Each structure stands twice: as C-alpha cells, then as structure tokens.
C-alpha cells in the first residue's frame, strides 16, 4: 500500500527521499553489475599473462564465466518473496553485500582451485539474483503512480553504467593496477578496487535506505 507524505518531510538537502533512494539504487546496480562483468575482462589477462592460468582451455573459461548465472537464476522468485517478508532494503542490501564480499576473495579462490572459483561465482550469482526482485518490491511502496517511470528509469540505469565503467576501468587496472600476492600480478587489483567501492556503497545503503515510506523515520503519513 502506498503511503502518502508531505513534501516538507520528504526532503533531504532539497531532494525528495524517493529520489535519494533512486540514486542509491542506481549506484547499487552499477556496483553489482561491475562486479558481474569485470571477470569477462580480467580472464583475458589471467590466461595470457599469469602462468597459473595458462592451461585454461576455452571450455574452462566459458564455464567460469557462465557459473555466475547458475546461481543468478535460482533467486529470481525467492528474492521477491524475501523482500515482501523482510523488506526490500535488507534483501537488496544483503544481496549486494554478499556479492561484494565474494568479489574480494575471488583472486584467492582462483589461485586455490578452479572448483572454489566456480563456487564463489555461483554464490555471487545467488546474491545478485535477489536485487531486481527486491527493488521491484521497494518501488511498489515508494513510487507514486505519476513518478514511477521516472524513478525506475533512474534506478535501472545503474546496470548499464556499471557495465560500461567496469569494462573500461578493468582493462586499465589489469595493466596499471597494484601488484598483489601470492604471484604479484596486477589483475587481482580489479576485484579489490571494485570490491572496496562496493563495501562503501553497502555501508551508505544500510544507513540511508528504508524499505518503505512508512518505515522511514522522518516521513510522516497524512
């Protein structure tokens, strides 16, 4: 059920709370899509420049890249149900947080074994799979009918923005990023940089976002 609120109560720094939510959602989707696609760039450097992965066949590379979606498809329907039960803020935020933490350990998993890397990518897909259903549940409560198209357009621009940034920046980091153990390659910096940015966003999300106007501490219902 939509909850109405006064314009004065809905303003923070001159921006309505629902638009603050839209921008935070945009950044969240940009984050998780960057975490999804960066491996598509990094795997080229891994197999070309890192001796540890030079024996990966095209079939192995395809399996690694596809493994994310094995998990992603599992949580599409449960994500919406969980959001209705526990609130979209928590389902969306925890899904992003899980994906972020798993991204940070991706280089460790890759050097440990192919099986562990596949498991990490599948779990990332499970975490990211709840994001769209959770956000749909949030907009059902947050978006006034006459603004729904505008708000969702802002929020759902995030995946394209994140993919473009990740595809561009990942290549630069592979060539110019910092070296990290155990083999002092540069490609792990992609996961550490994007993972750190993801953690910063997650902290901001849990402080700023609310599942509905009714649960927001500074919005009053008429």
């Amino acid at each position: 059920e939509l909850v109405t609120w006064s314009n004065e109560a809905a303003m923070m720094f001159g921006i309505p709370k629902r638009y603050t939510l839209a921008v935070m959602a945009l950044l969240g989707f940009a984050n998780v899509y960057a975490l999804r696609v960066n491996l598509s760039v990094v795997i080229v450097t891994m197999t070309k420049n890192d001796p540890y992965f030079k024996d990966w066949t095209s079939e192995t590379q395809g399996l690694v890249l596809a493994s994310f979606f094995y998990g992603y498809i599992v949580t599409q329907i449960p994500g919406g149900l969980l959001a209705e039960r526990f609130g979209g803020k928590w389902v969306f935020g925890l899904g992003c947080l899980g994906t972020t933490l798993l991204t940070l350990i991706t280089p460790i998993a890759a050097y440990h074994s192919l099986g562990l890397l596949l498991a990490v990518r599948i779990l990332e897909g499970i975490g990211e799979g709840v994001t769209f259903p959770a956000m749909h549940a949030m907009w059902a409560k947050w978006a006034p009918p006459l603004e729904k198209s505008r708000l969702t357009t802002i929020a759902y621009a995030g995946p394209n923005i994140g993919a473009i940034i990740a595809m561009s920046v990942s290549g630069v980091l592979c060539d110019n990023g910092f070296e990290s153990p155990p083999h002092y390659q540069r490609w792990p910096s992609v996961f550490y940089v994007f993972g750190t940015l993801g953690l910063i966003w997650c902290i901001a999300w849990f402080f700023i976002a609310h599942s509905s106007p009714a649960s927001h501490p500074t919005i009053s219902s008429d």
Side-chain angles (χ1 to χ4, degrees):
E1 181 182 359
L2 282 172
V3 178
T4 60
W5 59 91
S6 65
N7 288 334
E8 291 79 12
M11 301 295 284
M12 182 181 72
F13 303 113
I15 302 174
K17 297 286 195 299
R18 57 192 178 275
Y19 285 93
T20 302
L21 175 64
V23 172
M24 286 299 297
L26 180 151
L27 295 174
F29 278 121
N31 169 50
V32 292
Y33 266 71
L35 301 180
R36 176 197 295 195
V37 307
N38 54 22
L39 184 59
S40 301
V41 177
V42 172
I43 200 168
V44 177
T45 299
M46 290 170 64
T47 55
K48 181 179 180 182
N49 298 334
D50 193 329
Y52 192 87
F53 303 102
K54 288 211 170 185
D55 61 344
W56 277 14
T57 64
S58 57
E59 289 78 12
T60 300
Q61 295 176 48
L63 179 62
V64 170
L65 294 176
S67 58
F68 174 93
F69 297 96
Y70 299 153
Y72 187 78
I73 196 173
V74 171
T75 48
Q76 293 296 300
I77 294 177
L81 298 175
L82 289 170
E84 289 295 329
R85 177 67 177 84
F86 299 105
K89 165 188 175 176
W90 297 107
V91 176
F92 186 84
L94 291 173
C96 293
L97 178 61
T99 303
T100 298
L101 294 175
L102 289 164
T103 293
L104 288 169
I105 67 169
T106 294
I108 298 172
Y111 280 124
H112 183 275
S113 66
L114 175 61
L116 184 58
L117 175 60
L118 293 175
V120 166
R121 290 293 291 179
I122 291 171
L123 290 173
E124 282 187 39
I126 290 174
E128 190 171 329
V130 304
T131 54
F132 269 100
M135 187 54 57
H136 293 331
M138 292 186 73
W139 286 129
K141 297 177 180 179
W142 269 99
L146 295 180
E147 297 182 28
K148 184 171 291 187
S149 295
R150 184 183 306 162
L151 290 165
T152 55
T153 296
I154 294 171
Y156 297 145
N160 291 330
I161 293 173
I164 291 170
I165 292 174
M167 298 292 281
S168 303
V169 176
S170 294
V172 174
L173 289 173
C174 283
D175 291 334
N176 303 294
F178 54 87
E179 296 180 352
S180 59
H183 298 288
Y184 295 94
Q185 296 287 323
R186 298 183 188 275
W187 64 262
S189 65
V190 175
F191 299 98
Y192 298 142
V193 168
F194 282 105
T196 301
L197 292 175
L199 279 180
I200 294 171
W201 175 89
C202 288
I203 293 170
W205 173 262
F206 288 122
F207 275 104
I208 294 173
H210 296 272
S211 295
S212 68
S215 64
H216 200 290
T218 63
I219 293 178
S220 60
S221 59
D222 291 334

